[in-house]
Amino acid sequence: MKMLINVPETVVADALRGMAAAYPDLNVDVENRVIVRRDAPVAGQVGLVSGGGSGHEPLHGGFVGPGMLAAACPGEVFTSPVPDQMARAAAAVDSGAGVLFVVKNYTGDVLNFDMAAELAEDEGIQVGKVLVNDDVAVTDSLYTAGRRGTGATLFVEKIAGAAAAEGQPLERVEAIGRQVNDSSRSFGVALSAVTTPAKGSPTFDLPPGELELGIGIHGEPGRERRPMMTSGEIADFAVNAILDDMTPRGPVLVLVNGMGATPLLELFGFNAEVQRVLAERGVAVARTLVGNYVTSLDMAGASVTLCQVDEELLRLWDAPVRTPALRWGM
Amino acid sequence: MKMLINVPETVVADALRGMAAAYPDLNVDVENRVIVRRDAPVAGQVGLVSGGGSGHEPLHGGFVGPGMLAAACPGEVFTSPVPDQMARAAAAVDSGAGVLFVVKNYTGDVLNFDMAAELAEDEGIQVGKVLVNDDVAVTDSLYTAGRRGTGATLFVEKIAGAAAAEGQPLERVEAIGRQVNDSSRSFGVALSAVTTPAKGSPTFDLPPGELELGIGIHGEPGRERRPMMTSGEIADFAVNAILDDMTPRGPVLVLVNGMGATPLLELFGFNAEVQRVLAERGVAVARTLVGNYVTSLDMAGASVTLCQVDEELLRLWDAPVRTPALRWGM
């Protein structure tokens, strides 16, 4: 499998150097692998810190900036960052108002963020935590006890980040983050396998003519394989899987997310089908975001995430944000 | 080749329905295939109209909005839109200040935009035109007499769009657009072939272990094939090919553009190498943009575009813009 890289060993460091060059508003520490908004710490604001394995870009580094994350810690590809990274990030962004760790539910991430919380608390930093576990496809998975954390991470980081930007206290920012996660569900499909730089060949086999329903963002197995389906059939399956698990009592945010290699032209067409199914099921849509946000390297496919919002969450979603990957209102 | 579509015949219409659902600020006419900013025409402003074959998203529809395009006309995949589309778009966005057609240099586009200009002028609309022909890889190509239009389209649409938003007159907006094109050069590489929905299989053969240097955004042949190169070697080749053709006398805008299927992680690493080569060649960088902007469906690879800017062009580049794919300052 051909890749636009130098050698697998330097992929993450090379990418961080490239981010540093592109985004002068970010302070990118290539050696220690911490991406911090340049004006951190911001007085009176809780600092959101997230991180996880690389390979899901723009998540998380692309979400660092005013109104969203204060810092992100990229691990090696599909590998948790180490506790030192998160502790260093916490120290860099804590203004005295505390930090909130946003953690996707994978065993390594959970352990390492817990250890980082202890390190930060030893330094006198108040630490809150939101665990993201929105993927309804499977309970327990290759790297997860319980549900995997996927697309809802974007909603948690944006909405809790907006609350932090308003100067809300740590307990409140944490509660909002948890509310967003509890109100969110996701389902993903793969049309092709994913290839990591280290392995250099697909990490699983997906025969021509088949797709995998319920795929994880590291290529973890989903619910089942089927002969290739149309965009409309996939939307029916994915949205219904989500709505089997949640009954929105109000409007939802919709994320139609590309896994990486699926053309935007196809993602827009898929969004049309997702919206059709939601209308058929009587679910009102407040806002829709379409694009590649929580990716899996070169995997083809897409995921759908719904987040039920009340007026307050919707207001925070609409609040200004300025990051490499999400930007509006400033 | 698996695709996230219903049937090839409805790919463009499906995508337009999905765009309409995602972007309430856009008026998407699915039947007539015209995407117009909802508040058009804007009094006193020249309206920029672009378009071309689909399959390059977010170009052009994703660039419609305040500060950039007033309207976009998507054709079938890799096929020029028809003159009626552009004439209809011109009528929708003309406030009396005239319209500027931004045309990528492909034979079909050039002919059809010329016919559209006649139709619009017959209706009393003043029409200017900027032809984009920035790709230094080859002179004459599969669908082009002269150089192909690629990444510089984004620079032309953003910078001329900012001039239009300031209320500058048509002749001035046109002159700025031409200056941007004349100051821009691009070079692209493919790591994999592209598959169109209609064909369903790759449109050309690229053996495992080889890349194509100088690829076009429809998979048109480039300069040569070579055994796979590192990111650093590719950056050397691409940037040097550009600098063989231009000698920047001032800072440049840099676009490191993904062809569609190359992970953002790799694009950032490639950007680090592009910046290295520019530094070695003594070229100062004013701004850098990294991402998938002028794509070729599921092709893997990347292109580099440089645009030499003076103070005025840089000011217009930095001016506020609010479109689906480029957004800052509002």
Side-chain angles (χ1 to χ4, degrees):
Chain A
M1 194 64 79
K2 288 170 276 186
M3 295 181 178
L4 186 54
I5 64 173
N6 288 318
V7 291
E9 294 71 24
T10 65
V11 163
V12 174
D14 289 349
L16 289 173
R17 289 189 297 120
M19 283 195 75
Y23 305 116
D25 284 352
L26 301 182
N27 191 346
V28 180
D29 181 340
V30 178
E31 192 187 338
N32 293 301
R33 304 203 172 178
V34 180
I35 301 165
V36 181
R37 55 184 278 191
R38 192 166 285 283
D39 58 355
V42 182
Q45 289 189 14
V46 171
L48 265 68
V49 174
S50 193
S54 292
H56 307 298
E57 290 68 25
L59 181 89
H60 298 270
F63 298 148
V64 175
M68 210 160 167
L69 295 180
C73 306
E76 280 299 313
V77 170
F78 293 177
T79 303
S80 174
V82 295
D84 272 0
Q85 288 172 266
M86 289 79 101
R88 188 180 293 266
V93 307
D94 180 43
S95 66
V99 301
L100 181 70
F101 285 169
V102 179
V103 187
K104 300 195 302 301
N105 189 34
Y106 300 97
T107 307
D109 292 293
V110 172
L111 279 172
N112 288 334
F113 270 100
D114 278 348
M115 287 180 60
E118 286 177 28
L119 293 172
E121 282 161 352
D122 286 349
E123 301 296 318
I125 299 171
Q126 247 195 306
V127 180
K129 193 176 85 177
V130 176
L131 191 69
V132 183
N133 60 352
D134 54 308
D135 187 344
V136 302
V138 292
T139 311
D140 302 335
S141 187
L142 218 49
Y143 311 111
T144 315
R147 288 180 166 183
R148 300 176 298 221
T150 59
T153 315
L154 181 152
F155 289 140
V156 170
E157 294 178 357
K158 171 64 185 77
I159 293 173
E166 290 182 349
Q168 300 201 37
L170 179 57
E171 315 81 70
R172 180 73 192 130
V173 175
E174 184 178 36
I176 288 171
R178 288 182 179 181
Q179 182 190 348
V180 173
N181 179 64
D182 293 347
S183 307
S184 297
R185 301 288 189 280
S186 294
F187 192 89
V189 301
L191 273 56
S192 76
V194 54
T195 299
T196 60
K199 186 156 190 290
S201 59
T203 58
F204 62 100
D205 285 320
L206 189 55
E210 289 188 19
L211 84 172
E212 173 120 8
L213 294 160
I215 196 77
I217 58 172
H218 312 89
E220 308 97 310
R223 286 189 186 177
E224 56 178 305
R225 288 185 178 181
R226 289 200 185 175
M228 191 55 198
M229 297 156 67
T230 66
S231 169
E233 290 165 346
I234 295 170
D236 279 317
F237 195 99
V239 174
N240 288 328
I242 290 170
L243 294 180
D244 284 348
D245 202 86
M246 80 188 292
T247 306
R249 293 174 307 282
V252 296
L253 308 178
V254 179
L255 171 62
V256 170
N257 173 64
M259 288 296 184
T262 289
L264 198 51
L265 186 72
E266 297 180 23
L267 290 181
F268 280 123
F270 183 54
N271 179 48
E273 297 297 336
V274 168
Q275 304 282 333
R276 172 188 56 76
V277 183
L278 290 170
E280 288 170 3
R281 296 287 303 263
V283 178
V285 174
R287 303 285 183 273
T288 298
L289 189 66
V290 180
N292 294 292
Y293 293 103
V294 182
T295 62
S296 183
L297 290 172
D298 66 338
M299 190 191 282
S303 63
V304 179
T305 303
L306 304 183
C307 174
Q308 183 194 314
V309 288
D310 55 22
E311 275 183 30
E312 176 66 358
L313 295 194
L314 186 57
R315 185 183 69 75
L316 292 168
W317 173 256
D318 286 339
V321 62
R322 191 173 76 231
T323 73
L326 273 197
R327 184 163 176 169
W328 54 72
M330 60 176 155
Chain B
M1 192 66 78
K2 288 170 277 186
M3 295 182 179
L4 186 55
I5 64 173
N6 289 317
V7 291
E9 293 72 24
T10 65
V11 162
V12 173
D14 289 349
L16 289 174
R17 290 190 296 121
M19 283 195 75
Y23 305 116
D25 284 353
L26 301 182
N27 191 346
V28 181
D29 181 340
V30 178
E31 192 187 337
N32 293 301
R33 304 203 172 178
V34 180
I35 301 165
V36 181
R37 56 183 277 191
R38 193 166 284 285
D39 57 356
V42 183
Q45 290 189 15
V46 171
L48 265 68
V49 174
S50 193
S54 292
H56 308 298
E57 290 68 25
L59 181 86
H60 298 271
F63 299 148
V64 176
M68 210 161 168
L69 295 180
C73 307
E76 280 298 312
V77 170
F78 293 177
T79 302
S80 173
V82 296
D84 271 1
Q85 288 172 266
M86 289 80 101
R88 188 180 292 266
V93 307
D94 180 43
S95 67
V99 301
L100 181 70
F101 286 169
V102 179
V103 187
K104 301 196 301 302
N105 189 34
Y106 300 96
T107 307
D109 293 293
V110 172
L111 278 171
N112 287 333
F113 269 100
D114 278 348
M115 286 181 59
E118 286 177 27
L119 293 172
E121 282 160 353
D122 286 347
E123 301 296 317
I125 299 171
Q126 249 196 302
V127 180
K129 193 176 85 176
V130 176
L131 190 69
V132 183
N133 60 352
D134 54 309
D135 186 343
V136 303
V138 293
T139 311
D140 303 336
S141 187
L142 217 49
Y143 311 111
T144 314
R147 288 179 167 183
R148 301 176 298 221
T150 59
T153 316
L154 182 151
F155 290 140
V156 171
E157 293 178 357
K158 170 65 184 76
I159 293 173
E166 289 182 349
Q168 299 201 38
L170 179 58
E171 315 79 71
R172 181 72 191 130
V173 175
E174 184 179 36
I176 288 171
R178 289 182 178 181
Q179 183 190 348
V180 173
N181 178 64
D182 292 346
S183 307
S184 297
R185 301 287 189 280
S186 294
F187 192 89
V189 301
L191 273 57
S192 76
V194 54
T195 299
T196 60
K199 186 155 190 291
S201 59
T203 58
F204 63 99
D205 286 321
L206 190 56
E210 290 188 20
L211 84 171
E212 174 120 7
L213 294 159
I215 196 76
I217 58 173
H218 313 89
E220 307 97 311
R223 287 191 186 176
E224 56 178 305
R225 290 185 176 178
R226 289 201 185 174
M228 191 55 199
M229 296 157 68
T230 66
S231 169
E233 291 165 345
I234 295 170
D236 278 315
F237 195 100
V239 174
N240 287 329
I242 290 170
L243 294 180
D244 283 347
D245 202 85
M246 79 188 292
T247 305
R249 294 173 308 281
V252 296
L253 308 177
V254 180
L255 170 62
V256 171
N257 173 64
M259 289 294 184
T262 289
L264 198 50
L265 185 73
E266 297 179 24
L267 290 181
F268 280 122
F270 183 53
N271 180 48
E273 297 297 335
V274 168
Q275 304 282 334
R276 172 189 57 74
V277 183
L278 289 170
E280 288 170 3
R281 296 288 302 262
V283 178
V285 174
R287 303 285 183 274
T288 299
L289 189 66
V290 181
N292 294 292
Y293 293 102
V294 183
T295 63
S296 184
L297 291 172
D298 66 338
M299 189 191 282
S303 63
V304 179
T305 304
L306 303 183
C307 173
Q308 183 194 315
V309 288
D310 55 22
E311 275 183 29
E312 177 67 356
L313 296 193
L314 186 57
R315 185 183 70 75
L316 292 168
W317 172 256
D318 286 339
V321 61
R322 191 173 77 232
T323 73
L326 273 197
R327 185 164 175 166
W328 54 72
M330 59 174 157

